[in-house]
Amino acid sequence: DQQVKQNSPSLSVQEGRISILNCDYTNSMFDYFLWYKKYPAEGPTFLISISSIKDKNEDGRFTVFLNKSAKHLSLHIVPSQPGDSAVYFCAADNFNKFYFGSGTKLNVKP
Amino acid sequence: NAGVMQNPRHLVRRRGQEARLRCSPMKGHSHVYWYRQLPEEGLKFMVYLQKENIIDESGMPKERFSAEFPKEGPSILRIQQVVRGDSAAYFCASSRLGDLMNTEAFFGQGTRLTVV
């Protein structure tokens, strides 16, 4: 039972443009969401998070939007840079247990 | 301040052997989490431990898998009588607090287990 879903396995974007990564979840009890970035042969690294009491959180080039009614969140990266090329995982926290999506591989072309 | 250290990075085991995966949390962290990533999938929660205690093992398979986090030393994930389906990347994470809404969980680089 996949409670967190990332339906786009890959995304290709031109350098300088906006990257939008999407994530859907099914459990309305989730109240804290995170995005992790992962390079090959490395562990995931924390990028940005959002609590369900907010609908937006911004950190530099990264912004996460949360639409609770639609059970949808998205990560916007602007402007995208080649170093952003990685796999991005969306996760929901439920009592110290992360439910991860299957990831979206972002390729930012120079 | 070293990050979360996992070893070995790669482990090859024959079917039926035992696999031991070690995780040393970051300094000052007493909460450890194990996740498994199968090919083309996201990370799946296995177990959450504090020193000498298993807090949540709801993601652990009922048989052959066990985990511990002793008072001294690293956390160990043990898989007995490995089968091909156990081949995966196993990631450990640690946090300073047991409240992941208010503290960051840091992941190790993972152990890639291959069962031949």
Side-chain angles (χ1 to χ4, degrees):
Chain A
D1 179 27
Q2 190 76 8
Q3 298 194 51
V4 176
K5 294 180 184 177
Q6 293 176 257
N7 292 319
S8 297
S10 63
L11 175 67
S12 189
V13 169
Q14 202 68 37
E15 180 179 6
R17 308 293 288 266
I18 185 170
S19 296
I20 300 177
L21 296 94
N22 293 302
C23 178
D24 297 293
Y25 61 96
T26 56
N27 189 340
S28 56
M29 298 299 291
F30 288 151
D31 57 6
Y32 187 64
F33 303 89
L34 310 93
W35 284 93
Y36 275 83
K37 177 179 177 180
K38 185 180 181 303
Y39 293 114
E42 293 186 16
T45 54
F46 171 76
L47 200 54
I48 193 169
S49 63
I50 188 167
S51 163
S52 61
I53 61 173
K54 294 186 174 183
D55 54 19
K56 176 183 174 182
N57 188 26
E58 194 172 349
D59 183 1
R61 296 185 297 114
F62 303 92
T63 303
V64 55
F65 295 91
L66 175 63
N67 182 335
K68 282 185 65 178
S69 60
K71 295 193 184 73
H72 177 84
L73 64 155
S74 61
L75 174 68
H76 292 211
I77 307 172
V78 54
S80 302
Q81 299 173 354
D84 296 330
S85 297
V87 177
Y88 289 79
F89 290 99
C90 163
D93 173 42
N94 190 29
F95 295 106
N96 286 352
K97 205 184 311 188
F98 286 162
Y99 291 85
F100 281 92
S102 52
T104 296
K105 186 174 184 179
L106 174 65
N107 179 34
V108 180
K109 296 177 286 187
Chain B
N1 186 14
V4 178
M5 303 300 291
Q6 289 188 248
N7 67 82
R9 292 291 309 276
H10 300 275
L11 181 61
V12 179
R13 284 286 176 266
R14 294 187 183 280
R15 280 180 296 170
Q17 290 185 318
E18 178 179 287
R20 281 188 180 235
L21 289 66
R22 286 177 290 278
C23 169
S24 296
M26 285 181 71
K27 188 177 180 181
H29 288 195
S30 58
H31 301 261
V32 164
Y33 316 82
W34 285 94
Y35 284 80
R36 175 166 65 174
Q37 184 183 21
L38 295 170
E40 308 302 323
E41 293 188 15
L43 286 75
K44 297 276 195 299
F45 170 82
M46 298 183 76
V47 62
Y48 163 33
L49 311 106
Q50 275 184 273
K51 288 280 188 182
E52 301 184 280
N53 282 309
I54 296 175
I55 307 300
D56 181 347
E57 55 181 349
S58 58
M60 290 277 271
K62 295 282 186 281
E63 297 176 351
R64 304 186 297 107
F65 284 72
S66 62
E68 63 176 6
F69 188 17
K71 188 176 178 183
E72 302 291 337
S75 175
I76 306 285
L77 179 67
R78 183 180 175 208
I79 311 172
Q80 294 178 290
Q81 299 174 331
V82 295
V83 300
R84 287 227 171 97
D86 297 333
S87 296
Y90 291 81
F91 291 95
C92 166
S94 74
S95 65
R96 189 173 60 84
L97 302 175
D99 174 11
L100 292 182
M101 288 184 68
N102 291 299
T103 189
E104 184 175 339
F106 293 85
F107 280 83
Q109 292 182 299
T111 293
R112 183 162 299 280
L113 171 66
T114 303
V115 180
V116 297

